Amino acid sequence: MPTFAEMKAVEESRKDDFFADIYQFEYQYEDGCSCKWPIFYHEQRGILGVFPARYCSLKRLLPDDPFIHPLQVLPGVSLLYIAAIESGDTDIEPYNSILIVIPIGSPEFIGLTSPLKLIPGYEILRQTFPRKLQSWFVWHIPDDSYISYELGYEAFGMPKFAIDLTWEETGDRIVYSASDKGEEILTYEAEKIKTPDLKKGYQLDAHACFCRDRLLMVEYGKVLFKKVGSYLGGSKLKLKLVDNHALADELRQVLISQIPCCGFASPRII
C-alpha cells in the first residue's frame, strides 16, 4: 500500500498530463485485431477554414430534430468548418483526415426563446470563448487509414470513407491535397504563419453528433491546442474544389464562397 506522500507525488506528476484520469480499455474491432479505446492523439497538426454557407442547404443535411439546427451568423448565413489534419502519434498509427462539420446550436444553455439568439454570431462566440464547449454535426470525415475507417464507420457509424491525403510543405506554404483513385478532389493551400506558444494551451471540448441508421449518436472529444495562429480572410488560406466529384460537388452546393471568413493553423495539437 503506497503512503500518502507517494500517492500525492503521483498525483502531482500527472497534473499536467492531458490524458490523466481518462480510462482506456482494449477494444477488439476484428478477429485478432484490437486497439485502445478511447483513442489518444498525442501529436497532431492541422489547418481549419471557417466558410460561409447557406443555412437552408445545411439544414437539409441535419436530422429532423427541433433541437438540432445550424448556427446562423447572419439571416440565412451559417458556417461550415473544413479542417485538414495530420495525426502523427496516435494509438492507431499515423494517418491523415479531413473533418467537415456543421456548427449547431446548444439550446439547453440559453433556452429556445432567449433574446440573445437575435444577436448575429452570439451563439458561436459563446461556444468558443466563455464556454469552450462546441456542438457540431459531423457531415463527412474522409481519411486514409483502414483502422480509423473500421473503428469509425463499421463499429460506430461515423460518416467516414477512404481517400488519399497528402500533407506537403514547400518553403513558406503548406499544401494539403485529397484525391480519389488518382483523381484530385480538393486542395488546401495555406501560407505558413506565426503560431505563438500558448504555454498551458487552449482546451476546446466538443459534442460531435452524427447519424447511424437514423439514430442520433454523440461523441465527446477533447482537444488541446499548444500553438495557434489565425488567418483573416482568404488571402493566405485557399480552398480549391475540382469539378465532377461527389464530395467537391456537395461542398460547392452548400458554400456561399470558397474563400474562408477566417482560419486557424496549429502545428501542435493534442
Side-chain angles (χ1 to χ4, degrees):
M1 177 95 181
T3 65
F4 177 80
E6 289 172 336
M7 289 189 290
K8 183 178 180 181
V10 171
E11 290 179 0
E12 288 292 324
S13 68
R14 299 188 64 191
K15 68 179 182 179
D16 295 326
D17 182 0
F18 182 68
F19 301 102
D21 302 323
I22 300 176
Y23 173 71
Q24 279 188 308
F25 61 91
E26 205 70 21
Y27 176 77
Q28 184 171 326
Y29 59 91
E30 280 185 352
D31 291 340
C33 298
S34 63
C35 72
K36 294 179 180 179
W37 191 269
I39 300 168
F40 290 171
Y41 293 80
H42 302 276
E43 181 184 332
Q44 292 181 296
R45 56 181 176 173
I47 302 165
L48 169 69
V50 180
F51 294 85
R54 299 176 180 87
Y55 172 85
C56 291
S57 297
L58 295 182
K59 178 66 175 173
R60 287 193 287 268
L61 300 173
L62 302 182
D64 187 14
D65 187 314
F67 292 98
I68 298 180
H69 56 275
L71 293 180
Q72 291 194 78
V73 292
L74 293 171
V77 180
S78 295
L79 300 174
L80 186 71
Y81 296 164
I82 304 178
I85 303 168
E86 183 184 62
S87 301
D89 181 6
T90 82
D91 288 339
I92 55 171
E93 301 179 357
Y95 71 97
N96 295 323
S97 59
I98 297 177
L99 182 63
I100 305 173
V101 301
I102 303 168
I104 59 176
S106 51
E108 80 287 347
F109 184 71
I110 59 173
L112 292 170
T113 58
S114 171
L116 292 174
K117 287 181 174 290
L118 301 176
I119 302 175
Y122 168 79
E123 176 67 2
I124 191 68
L125 292 173
R126 181 189 70 82
Q127 288 189 21
T128 303
F129 295 106
R131 202 175 183 204
K132 297 183 182 179
L133 174 61
Q134 294 200 356
S135 297
W136 303 337
F137 183 82
V138 183
W139 184 16
H140 289 305
I141 318 178
D143 67 30
D144 60 4
S145 167
Y146 172 76
I147 301 175
S148 174
Y149 171 80
E150 282 293 306
L151 291 170
Y153 179 76
E154 294 291 348
F156 296 97
M158 294 178 179
K160 293 199 169 196
F161 60 92
I163 61 175
D164 297 317
L165 296 165
T166 305
W167 178 297
E168 295 181 334
E169 297 190 28
T170 55
D172 63 347
R173 310 198 75 77
I174 299 169
V175 179
Y176 196 86
S177 56
S179 60
D180 183 9
K181 298 177 182 177
E183 178 186 355
E184 187 178 282
I185 303 172
L186 62 84
T187 301
Y188 238 155
E189 186 173 344
E191 184 176 318
K192 291 183 181 178
I193 56 174
K194 292 182 179 179
T195 52
D197 192 333
L198 300 182
K199 296 182 180 179
K200 292 185 178 181
Y202 176 84
Q203 181 175 324
L204 183 66
D205 299 353
H207 288 138
C209 307
F210 55 94
C211 284
R212 176 167 188 167
D213 300 328
R214 294 181 295 175
L215 296 176
L216 187 66
M217 314 289 283
V218 180
E219 181 182 56
Y220 189 88
K222 297 175 64 176
V223 181
L224 183 67
F225 296 92
K226 302 295 288 184
K227 292 184 175 184
V228 176
S230 59
Y231 299 99
L232 296 178
S235 61
K236 296 183 179 181
L237 178 61
K238 298 178 181 179
L239 173 68
K240 175 186 175 184
L241 300 175
V242 302
D243 296 327
N244 302 320
H245 188 279
L247 176 59
D249 289 343
E250 285 182 332
L251 291 172
R252 193 177 289 105
Q253 288 170 10
V254 302
L255 292 177
I256 294 174
S257 171
Q258 294 180 35
I259 300 175
C261 310
C262 61
F264 303 90
S266 178
R268 190 180 174 202
I269 310 170
I270 299 177

